[in-house]
């Protein structure tokens, strides 16, 4: 199979038939062998009913329904797990991504031997203040932190070589940083393509302003994981030893100066009356705690992580 089209969605009943017809038209005109995998992330409208109807009419349509809303990352995770195509395309279900881009994205993976191609919505039809400006700041921070020279990390339209999606773990809200996850997994042939962005035709966006706050917090997380995720002791242990060492030196100096003054017969205050004694003691305690945090991090890495991040209540099609 050449292509797997993975489409996460939430309450998109108005656009699903139009999106399916558009994708199917592009697939047939280019003679692709393909599958379309819809992941219903806990929709409360008729989205799942429409997906089942499409699957009954076309065996290339497959669907999975979560029993509640788990988030886009979990939907992409299970979509990647089920995808069988040599190239996996992700796109949103709101008709803002153009299926006409798929043939060129496929070519950039197969013929140009890229691992991942990220869409770049160079011209956007979103609100300037609510989306465009925050998105520019977000992408600038992501470029600086990750080292990837991409203009639009969060574009839903992306193409992947099959091996990539089978070897990255999309969890939490890390769908924004899939290119960074791919880079950290050792896939270096990552590029971008300018894609056409279309104004939303139906409904309203499912993401509020909090997504930018969460995005920046996730960016810090992924930076930390990429630097120290495999070796937390290198950060916490080093900081802990450094703080303990300085605290110990400070307390030794306080004690030594006290003994020296007693030996010289000079008046001196009690060690416990010296504020620097408590500063040094606190520094030693914090250093010990940081060292223990690194040690616990190493233990956690060696234990298996719970993989059950979502529950599928129903499937349709041969999936």
């Amino acid at each position: 199979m050449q292509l797997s089209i993975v489409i996460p969605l939430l309450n998109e009943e108005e656009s699903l038939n139009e999106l399916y017809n558009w994708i199917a038209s592009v697939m047939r005109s280019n003679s692709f062998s393909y599958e379309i995998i819809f992941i219903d992330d806990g929709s409360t409208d008729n989205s799942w009913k429409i997906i089942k109807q499409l699957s009954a009419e076309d065996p290339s349509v497959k669907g999975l329904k979560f029993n509640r809303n788990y988030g886009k990352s979990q939907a992409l995770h299970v979509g990647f797990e089920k995808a069988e195509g040599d190239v996996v395309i992700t796109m949103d279900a709101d008709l803002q991504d153009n299926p006409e881009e798929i043939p060129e994205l496929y070519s950039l993976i197969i013929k140009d031997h890229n691992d991942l191609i990220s869409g770049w919505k160079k011209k956007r039809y979103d609100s300037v203040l609510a989306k465009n400006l925050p998105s520019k700041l977000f992408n600038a921070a992501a470029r600086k932190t990750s080292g990837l020279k991409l203009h639009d990390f969060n574009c839903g339209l992306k193409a992947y070589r099959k091996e990539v999606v089978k070897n990255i773990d999309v969890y939490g809200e890390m769908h924004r940083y899939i290119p960074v996850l791919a880079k950290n997994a050792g896939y270096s042939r990552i590029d971008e393509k300018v894609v056409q962005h279309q104004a939303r035709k139906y409904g309203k966006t499912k993401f509020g302003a909090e997504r930018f706050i969460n995005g920046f917090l996730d960016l810090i997380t992924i930076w930390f994981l990429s630097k120290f995720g495999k070796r937390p002791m290198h950060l916490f242990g080093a900081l802990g030893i450094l703080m303990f060492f300085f605290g110990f030196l400070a307390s030794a100096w306080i004690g030594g100066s006290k003994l020296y003054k007693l030996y010289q017969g000079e008046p001196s205050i009690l060690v416990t009356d010296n504020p620097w004694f408590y500063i040094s003691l606190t520094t030693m305690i914090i250093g010990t705690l940081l060292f223990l945090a690194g040690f616990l991090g190493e233990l956690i890495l060696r234990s298996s992580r719970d993989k059950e991040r979502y529950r599928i209540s129903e499937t349709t099609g041969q999936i």
Side-chain angles (χ1 to χ4, degrees):
M1 185 182 294
Q2 292 172 291
L3 278 164
S4 292
I5 316 296
V6 176
I7 306 173
L9 62 106
L10 175 64
N11 297 332
E12 298 287 359
E13 62 180 355
E14 296 168 306
S15 63
L16 286 177
N17 280 308
E18 186 174 342
L19 177 63
Y20 161 74
N21 290 329
W22 198 355
I23 294 174
S25 175
V26 172
M27 295 297 102
R28 286 193 293 266
S29 63
N30 289 273
S31 301
F32 285 129
S33 58
Y34 69 98
E35 63 179 356
I36 304 173
I37 304 176
F38 290 106
I39 302 98
D40 185 343
D41 187 21
S43 294
T44 55
D45 61 1
N46 290 318
S47 294
W48 181 243
K49 181 179 179 181
I50 294 170
I51 292 170
K52 289 201 294 183
Q53 290 173 349
L54 293 172
S55 178
E57 297 167 2
D58 183 352
S60 65
V61 176
K62 304 171 183 180
L64 302 101
K65 178 177 173 59
F66 289 167
N67 66 330
R68 64 171 178 84
N69 178 242
Y70 286 94
K72 189 174 182 179
S73 291
Q74 319 310 325
L76 288 174
H77 177 88
V78 71
F80 289 163
E81 189 178 72
K82 302 297 183 181
E84 298 177 359
D86 297 328
V87 174
V88 178
I89 304 286
T90 58
M91 62 190 307
D92 295 334
D94 54 12
L95 297 175
Q96 290 191 284
D97 295 330
N98 191 336
E100 302 290 345
E101 306 280 358
I102 292 175
E104 189 172 350
L105 289 170
Y106 176 83
S107 178
L108 288 169
I109 297 293
I110 297 298
K111 294 183 180 179
D112 293 356
H113 306 290
N114 286 295
D115 295 318
L116 187 157
I117 298 294
S118 180
W120 174 17
K121 297 174 182 176
K122 195 171 184 178
K123 182 178 180 181
R124 299 178 66 103
Y125 293 94
D126 294 320
S127 168
V128 175
L129 292 177
K131 279 197 172 183
N132 288 7
L133 287 178
S135 181
K136 288 181 183 296
L137 291 172
F138 165 79
N139 285 305
R143 280 195 300 272
K144 186 70 175 177
T145 305
S146 68
L148 286 173
K149 305 304 180 184
L150 300 179
H151 291 85
D152 192 355
F153 283 80
N154 200 30
C155 178
L157 186 57
K158 290 183 175 68
Y160 311 81
R161 192 155 49 88
K162 182 181 180 179
E163 179 188 339
V164 176
V165 302
K166 299 300 183 183
N167 287 283
I168 59 175
D169 187 11
V170 187
Y171 60 94
E173 292 190 23
M174 291 300 178
H175 59 274
R176 302 178 181 91
Y177 302 108
I178 292 180
V180 184
L181 296 175
K183 179 190 176 186
N184 291 344
Y187 298 101
S188 58
R189 296 184 65 88
I190 299 172
D191 207 344
E192 65 183 356
K193 176 189 179 301
V194 176
V195 296
Q196 182 181 349
H197 183 231
Q198 304 179 142
R200 175 177 276 274
K201 191 172 181 180
Y202 305 107
K204 60 182 180 179
T205 181
K206 309 301 188 299
F207 300 99
E210 72 277 359
R211 74 188 182 113
F212 294 107
I213 298 172
N214 294 337
F216 282 112
L217 293 175
D218 289 337
L219 183 59
I220 295 170
T221 300
I222 205 167
W223 172 83
F224 173 80
L225 290 175
S226 66
K227 294 288 185 183
F228 304 104
K230 297 282 196 260
R231 50 189 194 282
M233 183 60 88
H234 288 200
L235 176 65
F236 293 109
L239 285 175
I241 291 173
L242 191 64
M243 292 192 72
F244 185 91
F245 179 71
F246 280 115
F248 179 79
L249 285 181
S251 61
W253 179 81
I254 292 169
S257 64
K258 170 73 174 179
L259 291 174
Y260 177 78
K261 288 182 178 181
L262 287 174
Y263 178 77
Q264 295 292 329
E266 298 178 5
S268 63
I269 62 173
L270 292 173
V271 169
T272 53
D273 289 338
N274 190 334
W276 288 103
F277 170 74
Y278 295 101
I279 293 174
S280 62
L281 185 62
T282 302
T283 303
M284 292 173 66
I285 293 172
I286 293 175
T288 303
L289 292 175
L290 283 171
F291 184 87
L292 287 174
F295 180 71
L296 291 174
E298 294 285 345
L299 290 178
I300 291 170
L301 276 178
R302 284 160 175 75
S303 63
S304 60
R305 185 170 58 187
D306 183 10
K307 290 290 183 179
E308 187 182 79
R309 297 196 296 265
Y310 46 77
R311 289 180 183 272
I312 298 171
S313 63
E314 195 174 349
T315 64
T316 184
Q318 300 298 314
I319 196 164

